[in-house]
């Protein structure tokens, strides 16, 4: 699942961007950081011999990596450009440089140069797609029942519109949702494609693609890995 909100601004743009993040990834990152921190600090405080140093090196290595793959990923969509913040780099693509936005087993943006950049913060969920497809099938069946004058069968829980366990509902029941059912990640990609189609020809949406490596993540992780390797080698 992906959430979007208004946050931040792209340099050169006068309006706030729409930010897309993965709530599940962020929740998992917080839990992992808590677990790693608890185990690491306990080893540093209560450990003996080389254990505190090994725990410290492991913390320096693992904390940046957990942040990189869970809390850091985000996609910021502004009027003029798309900013993709992945685990180890930040990619800024003016809408005029975007060739397509693809969705398959992962979501990615393709630049006019042919470069592909994965959208880490908008993960594809095949389970969510199947759930949306089932919902769409039920919606189609309900719409067919409406046209034919038959009552709709609707699901319901305890105290729901269909009573405990579900049942039949008449035409005066809950209104049918408008539009096809879509997984959250696919809805986010639809929003990005719509904004791209509207803005790609604008003069302000032209420019060059820029890529910046996240040394603030890679540096500490490399230092932790080096320290851990030295400690293991020394024995």
């Amino acid at each position: 699942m992906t959430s979007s909100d208004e946050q931040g601004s792209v340099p050169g743009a006068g309006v706030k961007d729409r930010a897309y993040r993965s709530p599940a990834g962020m929740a998992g990152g917080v839990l992992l950081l808590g677990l790693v921190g608890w185990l690491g600090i306990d080893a540093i405080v209560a450990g003996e011999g080389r254990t505190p140093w090994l725990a410290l090196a492991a913390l320096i290595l693992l904390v940046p990596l957990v942040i990189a793959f869970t809390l850091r990923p985000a996609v910021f969509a502004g009027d003029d450009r798309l900013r993709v913040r992945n685990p180890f780099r930040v990619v800024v693509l003016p809408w005029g440089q975007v060739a397509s936005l693809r969705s398959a087993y992962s979501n990615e943006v393709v630049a006019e140069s042919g470069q592909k950049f994965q959208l880490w913060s908008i993960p594809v969920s095949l389970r969510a797609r199947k759930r949306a497809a089932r919902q769409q099938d039920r919606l189609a069946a309900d719409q067919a029942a409406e046209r034919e004058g038959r009552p709709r069968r609707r699901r319901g829980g305890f105290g729901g519109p269909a009573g405990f366990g579900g049942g039949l509902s008449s035409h005066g029941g809950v209104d049918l949702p408008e539009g096809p059912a879509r997984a959250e990640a696919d809805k986010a990609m639809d929003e990005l494609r719509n904004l791209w189609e509207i803005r790609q020809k604008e003069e302000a949406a032209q420019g060059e693609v820029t890529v910046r490596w996240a040394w603030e993540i890679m540096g500490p992780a490399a230092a932790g890995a080096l320290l851990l390797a030295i400690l293991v080698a020394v024995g």
Side-chain angles (χ1 to χ4, degrees):
M1 182 178 292
T2 302
S3 68
S4 64
D5 54 7
E6 299 294 333
Q7 179 171 335
S9 61
V10 173
V15 296
K16 292 184 177 180
D17 305 335
R18 180 172 292 276
Y20 296 87
R21 293 185 173 89
S22 171
M26 296 178 69
V30 171
L31 291 176
L32 280 176
L33 286 175
L35 178 62
V36 169
W38 173 50
L39 294 176
I41 294 175
D42 181 69
I44 292 173
V45 173
E48 298 179 355
R50 294 188 310 123
T51 300
W53 290 102
L54 288 171
L56 178 61
L59 281 176
I60 297 174
L61 170 63
L62 293 177
V63 169
L65 293 180
V66 171
I67 293 174
F69 285 97
T70 59
L71 303 181
R72 176 180 169 81
V75 171
F76 301 94
D79 279 353
D80 298 336
R81 64 200 70 197
L82 181 71
R83 182 159 59 99
V84 182
R85 193 171 69 193
N86 282 341
F88 298 118
R89 58 183 178 177
V90 177
V91 183
V92 178
L93 302 100
W95 289 119
Q97 287 293 326
V98 174
S100 65
L101 289 153
R102 297 179 182 175
S103 295
Y105 293 105
S106 65
N107 291 315
E108 60 186 18
V109 57
V110 182
E112 290 287 351
S113 62
Q115 290 178 290
K116 300 177 182 178
F117 305 100
Q118 187 173 350
L119 306 180
W120 278 79
S121 68
I122 311 180
V124 169
S125 172
L126 298 181
R127 178 178 297 181
R129 283 181 175 175
K130 291 179 180 178
R131 185 166 57 247
R134 290 194 297 269
Q135 181 180 351
Q136 182 61 28
D137 290 341
R138 291 195 296 268
L139 175 60
D142 286 345
Q143 290 174 336
E146 283 284 324
R147 290 192 298 269
E148 296 172 8
R150 295 183 286 107
R152 304 193 307 265
R153 179 174 294 275
R154 304 191 63 82
R155 291 187 174 186
F158 183 77
F164 185 82
L168 294 174
S169 69
S170 64
H171 305 300
V174 179
D175 291 337
L176 293 174
E178 295 183 0
R182 301 277 284 167
E184 290 298 323
D186 293 333
K187 290 181 182 178
M189 292 299 289
D190 289 343
E191 291 178 6
L192 292 177
R193 290 191 189 98
N194 183 61
L195 184 57
W196 165 56
E197 290 171 357
I198 293 173
R199 299 292 300 174
Q200 62 177 324
K201 300 298 184 181
E202 298 295 328
E203 183 178 354
Q206 310 305 312
E208 297 295 328
V209 177
T210 61
V211 179
R212 181 182 69 81
W213 290 98
W215 296 109
E216 65 275 15
I217 296 291
M218 299 168 63
L226 179 60
L227 179 58
L228 188 60
I230 292 174
L231 291 172
V232 171
V234 169

